[in-house]
Amino acid sequence: MIYLNGEFMPIDQAKISVLDRGFIFGDGVYEVIPVYSRRPFRLAEHLARLQSSLDAISIANPNTNAKWAELVGKIIAGNPWEDQNVYLQITRGVAKRDHAFPKGLTPTVYLMASELVTPSAELMRTGATAIVLPDFRWLRCDIKSTSLLGNCMLRTLAAEADCAEAILVREGEMTEASASNVFVVKNGTVLAPPKSQLILPGITYDVVLEILRGDAIPHEVRPVREAELRSAEEIWVTSSSREVLPITTLDGKPVGKGKPGPVGVKVHALYQQFKARVMRAPAHA
Ligand code: PDD
């Protein structure tokens, strides 16, 4: 079951106008909210990031947070899986094709869910593969925009190289990956690039930093040079669906010893504990 503009319906009955600016220009923003045991994880943070994305492209938020929570709850209840990815998209709406943002449109609001499948135990044991590619996307990667052509091209280049992810470098510094944030471990210290307009402020990135702080694991938030990425002992990618996934092969070469390193294994375990703790806490309005 999906939600479109005020109504719940089966996905094959959903229809939007071909003049929707989301279709014509990619003029919209989105969120992907992980749901464990039918409870959304970090919903308030996802809704705050949604507000920032909407503000950045001047779309008025069509719903209050309470209304969003209600819609997300109904989508979760209307779908069969215990663990879900709830996808939420807002476009500027329908208008005659003209680049500048028209005023006064009614935004198109869409929610759907899919099964959330986190990395298997086997993948966590072996780690995943990645390639390094130049970050040729635009300079507002902080906006969670549905205009994802750059990300799609980069992920396709990774897939064609039999890799799970493309780790991106701009002017000699690591930014993020095609659909995840990146952490590296260098000389025993975890390094994370600071938030800027060049990366998406990941919700999982924030959780990982909370874990690093909470467990006093040595870490620094600072620019990461390409050379540090290439000589790192450990590399992890983080996202709502991949959680904390070790990268053990980079450009065909082993990362560290070529298997998941101790810091990442520990942070992944702490992430699972963190999730379990939050999901056990009483639900709040
Ligand atoms: N992607 N960077 C990019 C470019 C992303 O697309 C994502 C998430 C992240 C991680 O953000 P978070 O921790 O909030 O999931 C970083 C989602 C899952 C997607 O587009 O499907």
Side-chain angles (χ1 to χ4, degrees):
M1 185 190 77
I2 64 97
Y3 171 91
L4 180 64
N5 296 334
E7 283 178 72
F8 293 90
M9 63 189 88
I11 195 163
D12 55 6
Q13 286 174 24
K15 291 196 172 42
I16 59 158
S17 165
V18 291
L19 285 178
D20 193 288
R21 287 180 59 98
F23 179 64
I24 296 281
F25 292 118
D27 183 0
V29 297
Y30 76 107
E31 278 296 323
V32 180
I33 303 159
V35 172
Y36 300 103
S37 306
R38 296 196 178 271
R39 291 176 68 169
F41 183 61
R42 294 244 149 174
L43 179 60
E45 288 80 359
H46 280 277
L47 293 178
R49 184 172 66 186
L50 177 66
Q51 185 67 58
S52 309
S53 297
L54 288 167
D55 290 345
I57 66 164
S58 307
I59 295 179
N61 195 333
N63 290 318
T64 62
N65 281 1
K67 180 70 182 175
W68 283 123
E70 181 195 320
L71 293 177
V72 168
K74 286 187 174 160
I75 282 290
I76 295 170
N79 282 285
W81 313 284
E82 289 299 299
D83 294 348
Q84 303 181 16
N85 273 314
V86 171
Y87 176 91
L88 183 167
Q89 170 171 335
I90 301 159
T91 76
R92 195 173 308 275
V94 178
K96 180 172 169 291
R97 185 177 181 278
D98 182 12
H99 290 61
F101 298 159
K103 291 206 168 50
L105 301 186
T106 304
T108 301
V109 179
Y110 176 60
L111 282 88
M112 66 176 170
S114 58
E115 185 176 18
L116 169 57
V117 183
T118 54
S120 65
E122 171 65 10
L123 184 59
M124 290 307 299
R125 206 178 50 70
T126 59
T129 53
I131 53 170
V132 181
L133 290 174
D135 193 345
F136 54 61
R137 302 172 303 162
W138 68 335
L139 298 174
R140 291 306 306 275
C141 297
D142 57 319
I143 303 171
K144 203 162 171 60
S145 162
T146 57
S147 308
L148 286 173
L149 194 52
N151 303 63
C152 293
M153 288 170 73
L154 290 159
R155 177 60 76 81
T156 302
L157 290 170
E160 284 169 358
D162 280 328
C163 286
E165 226 346 341
I167 297 181
L168 310 178
V169 169
R170 198 193 283 268
E171 292 177 0
E173 286 175 5
M174 178 179 92
T175 52
E176 58 177 346
S178 72
S180 43
N181 291 109
V182 188
F183 291 74
V184 307
V185 181
K186 184 73 193 159
N187 301 324
T189 300
V190 183
L191 304 179
K195 287 183 186 172
S196 75
Q197 294 191 343
L198 300 183
I199 69 172
L200 186 80
I203 305 300
T204 320
Y205 166 105
D206 281 340
V207 175
V208 168
L209 282 178
E210 273 177 50
I211 288 171
L212 295 172
R213 274 195 296 273
D215 222 67
I217 297 171
H219 64 281
E220 287 175 32
V221 177
R222 61 148 173 91
V224 178
R225 309 285 310 162
E226 178 175 356
E228 293 175 307
L229 165 70
R230 290 189 182 277
S231 60
E233 294 118 57
E234 297 185 29
I235 302 173
W236 328 320
V237 294
T238 69
S239 78
S240 293
S241 47
R242 284 179 155 164
E243 300 186 333
V244 183
L245 175 65
I247 299 296
T248 46
T249 307
L250 187 69
D251 278 350
K253 299 186 200 69
V255 177
K257 297 196 171 70
K259 52 185 190 41
V263 190
V265 168
K266 181 172 177 186
V267 170
H268 179 261
L270 290 169
Y271 189 86
Q272 299 308 315
Q273 285 173 23
F274 188 101
K275 249 167 60 180
R277 215 169 39 241
V278 173
M279 303 319 286
R280 271 197 310 271
H284 56 275

